[in-house]
Amino acid sequence: MEMINKIGRRKTSVARIYMAPGSGKITVNNQAIEVYFPFDLHQIVVKQPLTLVGVEGNYDVNINVDGGGIKGQAEAARMAISRALCEFDAEHRPALKKEGFLTRDPRMVERKKPGRRKARRRFQFSKR
């Protein structure tokens, strides 16, 4: 039984996954996916690559996520699972690439600049 270890990132979140053929059990930080991602949409995001290639329930996935918010973590996990599926079977690659699951989203929060209130927002102008 081969275990595949992959990493996925999104914003400031990092997801490290361990994936092996199994019964379809997904755990996130040693909790069931339903416990860690109580919001349905995030569970769907994590399972998207498995559903897309039609192997839902064929792999056990153990996910370690760190940093960022819930959505960023879910999307980082999605990327890691997609990368692992490509390694299990190279035929999955075109379908996953078409959906954009293998592309690292480069958008990050812009840093705050000195002399500004936020990254681009200026302080309120006072005429007098």
Side-chain angles (χ1 to χ4, degrees), residues 31-102:
Q31 299 174 359
I33 188 170
E34 294 79 20
V35 178
Y36 194 84
F37 293 122
F39 195 47
D40 215 20
L41 190 74
H42 298 132
Q43 292 175 32
I44 293 166
V45 165
V46 172
K47 294 174 184 170
Q48 262 179 326
L50 299 165
T51 313
L52 180 72
V53 295
V55 293
E56 207 171 4
N58 297 4
Y59 294 104
D60 284 340
V61 187
N62 189 5
I63 309 171
N64 294 319
V65 282
D66 187 51
I70 296 173
K71 187 174 171 70
Q73 289 185 349
E75 291 184 11
R78 177 175 75 181
M79 182 186 196
I81 290 169
S82 301
R83 285 177 168 175
L85 285 170
C86 286
E87 196 156 314
F88 272 116
D89 189 352
E91 287 172 22
H92 296 326
R93 193 172 169 84
L96 291 166
K97 198 168 171 67
K98 186 169 173 284
E99 290 295 319
F101 294 165
L102 298 171

